[in-house]
Amino acid sequence: MSGRGGGAGSDLTWSVLREVKCAELEEAADGWGRVSNRADAARDRIEGQFLPGLRDAQKGEAAGAAVGRLRRLGTNFQYIYTECGLLRTTLNSLAHEIKAQQRVLQGALDDAAALKFTVHADGSVTYPAGGEGLVDGKPLAGGTASGVPNPGMVTPSGLVAPNPNAGKAQDIADRVAQAVRTAADADWRYTRILRSLKAEEGLGVPAATWTDAAADAAAVRQAAHNYLKDAIPHDATPAERKEWWAGLTDEQREEYLAVYPDQIGNLDGIPALVRDAANRDNIQLLMGKLEGRDDDESATKLAALREIDRQLRTVPKPGEPPMYLLGIGDQGNGRAIVSYGNPDTARNVAAYVPGLNTSLDYEFAKGDLKRARDTAAAAREIDQASAVITWLGYDAPQSPDGLSSLAVAGTARAETGGRAFNGFMAGVVASNDHDDPHLTAIGHSYGSRTVGAATQQGDGIPGVTDIVLVGSPGLGVDQAEDLGVGSDHVYVGAAENDVVTKLPSKERGVILGIGHALGPAGSLVVDMANRGDEGLWFGRDPASEEFGGRRFGTDAGPPLIGPGGLSSDAHSQYFDPELDSASAGSIALVATGRGHMVQQVQAR
């Protein structure tokens, strides 16, 4: 059929449509699928066998050059996998649409044969005499009806043909015309897509090529939405999504991964290995998409994606937790969910929620991911079956220039983030291999407010039995027991010099500037005398005796105003084993279900 498309100007006829062998299109799709799978397997061998083996066995410039070439080869195989997967889905989707119109056509032809009507080559339908004339009672003359591709668009004339066969013939002719027109349109659309699915010459796969691949994927998604998209269970529970995925054939899974890596990779309940595979492809498409833009926001997100991609391609050293990309996206301030250790096979899974000023930027890719990586490394020394996740699945409040009132944060983002976090944790429960895994929620800064909001929704955070709160400006609740896990399972870290943990309550209206770094500009007003008042911006101080949690020891951290000027570093070192070993060690103990071993210190 290819080449016949062109809408109304198409030379497709009903007889050609009837004879199209869709099985041949599907066989071709299978062939491209085999090529895609082989490319994927080759990429896995490069990244899982060749690169680690070369790194462990060889040193020096030659080995470094070989590593670079192998990585480029792996990228090439990834591109082949993506494009061939798109080809397969394009052909299968075309066959799907053509078969649907063949069924419409065949139904019309069968009705014509049953009525002994004649369907001509041009789609018109001749019908015999029938009925009775009002004057002489003789059968009314037959005639020929010409089909209208879109009969609903034709204004009724108000006249009714007296021969009862006329209406039946018109209906048949319209159905034939509609099937031919719809098939011709599909042929035209898919021909354009197939012509665009081609690689540039040469062995390299530069950023521009991935930009083209992103456009290819968008075009295939738009064309194939009736074939695949409607079946993705977005409104189902994570457990139902897991069951849906398990019930698909291998070919169906491969097609979803090729065409909808963004949706499958971010769908809670889908196995971690599948999400990781989808998102490793999706991050390439996202980078290609952002490469074509020149605004500051795109540049910021692109820098983060490049750094995450670099880390994904870095072979972990022996003993280091492997990295899994469980979510990635450019919506809002950006999304990224990264696990160190496989959360499906781990007995202990902890999820860390970052806070104010966190977005998909280079600092997140370096700093926030390191917090989870450091915690995972410490946890795996205690229990190897542990995984720790950085969860940026919501839009954390942003503070322009690092200076603003915390009032801009409000609670709306925490409430929205809490719902998303609960959905993610429900997915962890659904996909985990263990009957009763130990799950921990860790909230830092405004992330603790998000965790607090999650505990107040529905039945609380699914599966979570321990909660860790560090650098918290309050949770929105006044008692540890209100978090739903028991006060003995709520652990609080509050550094002496972390001003965020001493924020005055809303009623006192104090301005506070906090961020990844405060910087020297601007003025900062902090009521350092807020020591006897346990009320913080978002409720009672979690480190207070009245709150009732278990406070663990932390390093005091650098003072707010020191020899080097203004510093918020005390707010950011809770996870760092070198800067705050007491806090980092306590978090690791809780993450492995050993909270009873955490050494408590006096509450405020």
Side-chain angles (χ1 to χ4, degrees):
M1 290 179 61
S2 232
R4 297 179 178 275
S10 169
D11 59 354
L12 180 67
T13 65
W14 67 262
S15 59
V16 172
L17 172 59
R18 183 179 60 181
E19 300 304 320
V20 171
K21 294 179 173 58
C22 290
E24 293 181 358
L25 289 173
E26 293 169 334
E27 288 175 6
D30 290 342
W32 286 111
R34 287 190 291 271
V35 175
S36 179
N37 291 339
R38 287 169 185 162
D40 192 37
R43 179 187 62 177
D44 285 345
R45 283 197 297 272
I46 289 172
E47 296 181 354
Q49 299 177 23
F50 298 159
L51 282 173
L54 184 60
R55 185 205 65 189
D56 295 339
Q58 303 291 331
K59 303 293 181 184
E61 293 184 7
V67 166
R69 292 186 178 184
L70 278 174
R71 284 179 175 162
R72 186 178 73 173
L73 182 60
T75 300
N76 291 353
F77 278 126
Q78 184 170 17
Y79 177 74
I80 293 170
Y81 161 77
T82 298
E83 291 290 287
C84 291
L86 293 175
L87 278 164
R88 170 177 54 190
T89 301
T90 299
L91 291 170
N92 275 334
S93 186
L94 173 59
H96 174 78
E97 292 198 31
I98 296 300
K99 284 193 291 187
Q101 299 314 312
Q102 285 179 326
R103 289 193 293 270
V104 173
L105 172 64
Q106 193 58 54
L109 296 177
D110 289 345
D111 288 348
L115 293 167
K116 295 183 170 46
F117 293 176
T118 301
V119 181
H120 300 286
D122 64 356
S124 61
V125 178
T126 297
Y127 56 91
E132 294 182 355
L134 295 177
V135 177
D136 56 11
K138 293 181 180 180
L140 298 170
T144 300
S146 296
V148 179
N150 298 300
M153 302 295 291
V154 178
T155 303
S157 65
L159 300 176
V160 178
N163 186 338
N165 291 323
K168 298 174 184 177
Q170 187 64 57
D171 174 67
I172 292 171
D174 288 346
R175 286 152 61 195
V176 170
Q178 185 177 9
V180 171
R181 173 59 184 268
T182 303
D185 285 346
D187 183 38
W188 178 73
R189 283 186 286 110
Y190 286 102
T191 296
R192 293 180 62 197
I193 292 171
L194 289 169
R195 286 173 177 166
S196 71
L197 291 173
K198 59 183 180 181
E200 300 294 330
E201 294 184 1
L203 298 176
V205 182
T209 303
W210 279 112
T211 300
D212 290 341
D216 291 341
V220 174
R221 279 197 295 268
Q222 183 176 4
H225 69 280
N226 289 329
Y227 173 56
L228 290 176
K229 183 179 180 180
D230 292 343
I232 298 177
H234 292 289
D235 296 331
T237 67
E240 290 168 341
R241 293 169 184 163
K242 178 185 179 182
E243 184 178 358
W244 167 77
W245 184 261
L248 297 177
T249 65
D250 288 342
E251 181 179 1
Q252 288 172 322
R253 293 175 187 169
E254 290 161 4
E255 288 195 278
Y256 277 113
L257 287 171
V259 183
Y260 296 105
D262 55 332
Q263 296 188 39
I264 300 302
N266 290 283
L267 199 61
D268 297 328
I270 300 297
L273 289 174
V274 175
R275 293 180 70 163
D276 178 65
N279 286 316
R280 285 175 186 254
D281 293 322
N282 188 34
I283 196 172
Q284 301 300 323
L285 298 175
L286 281 173
M287 289 191 293
K289 178 175 122 180
L290 296 177
E291 283 280 359
R293 301 177 179 177
D294 57 4
D295 59 285
D296 291 342
E297 180 182 340
S298 295
T300 297
K301 292 175 179 176
L302 181 58
L305 294 174
R306 284 173 174 166
E307 173 57 23
I308 294 172
D309 182 58
R310 184 196 68 77
Q311 294 181 33
L312 286 168
R313 294 179 182 278
T314 300
V315 179
K317 297 177 182 178
E320 287 185 343
M323 184 176 177
Y324 297 85
L325 188 59
L326 304 182
I328 198 74
D330 65 343
Q331 64 268 42
N333 294 331
R335 302 286 187 269
I337 306 172
V338 177
S339 180
Y340 293 93
N342 187 335
D344 288 355
T345 60
R347 284 191 300 270
N348 309 299
V349 182
Y352 147 62
V353 182
L356 188 66
N357 277 347
T358 308
S359 63
L360 186 61
D361 57 15
Y362 185 78
E363 175 61 29
F364 167 84
K366 294 291 286 187
D368 288 279
L369 295 193
K370 181 179 183 297
R371 291 174 180 175
R373 185 169 60 248
D374 286 344
T375 303
R380 288 163 72 92
E381 289 183 4
I382 301 170
D383 186 344
Q384 188 67 21
S386 300
V388 179
I389 299 165
T390 292
W391 184 84
L392 181 61
Y394 78 121
D395 283 329
Q398 302 297 298
S399 177
D401 301 320
L403 296 172
S404 75
S405 168
L406 194 62
V408 301
T411 61
R413 297 196 179 199
E415 298 294 333
T416 301
R419 284 189 290 273
F421 185 61
N422 281 351
F424 174 75
M425 295 305 289
V428 171
V429 173
S431 61
N432 191 275
D433 295 340
H434 300 275
D435 293 335
D436 188 20
H438 171 252
L439 305 186
T440 303
I442 305 172
H444 174 244
S445 187
Y446 187 86
S448 66
R449 180 64 183 88
T450 302
V451 169
T455 66
Q456 303 305 296
Q457 297 171 1
D459 295 327
I461 307 176
V464 165
T465 55
D466 287 303
I467 293 176
V468 177
L469 311 164
V470 288
S472 176
L475 304 171
V477 299
D478 290 332
Q479 301 287 336
E481 63 185 21
D482 295 335
L483 298 178
V485 295
S487 58
D488 287 346
H489 290 269
V490 177
Y491 303 85
V492 181
E496 181 61 26
N497 290 325
D498 181 359
V499 295
V500 177
T501 69
K502 300 177 180 181
L503 283 176
S505 61
K506 296 179 185 178
E507 289 73 17
R508 302 179 68 172
V510 176
I511 297 174
L512 175 65
I514 53 176
H516 291 305
L518 286 173
S523 62
L524 179 68
V525 181
V526 178
D527 184 1
M528 297 301 292
N530 185 49
R531 297 177 184 271
D533 181 1
E534 76 277 6
L536 295 190
W537 193 273
F538 292 120
R540 181 168 284 160
D541 178 4
S544 69
E545 184 175 355
E546 291 81 3
F547 186 77
R550 303 183 66 185
R551 186 184 181 192
F552 55 82
T554 66
D555 186 272
L560 178 66
I561 302 175
L566 211 57
S567 170
S568 64
D569 289 350
H571 182 60
S572 306
Q573 62 186 37
Y574 293 100
F575 301 87
D576 194 317
E578 295 182 1
L579 298 177
D580 195 341
S581 59
S583 175
S586 295
I587 294 172
L589 284 171
V590 177
T592 54
R594 291 164 174 79
H596 61 280
M597 298 174 62
V598 169
Q599 185 174 356
Q600 286 187 249
V601 297
Q602 184 176 359
R604 286 177 178 166

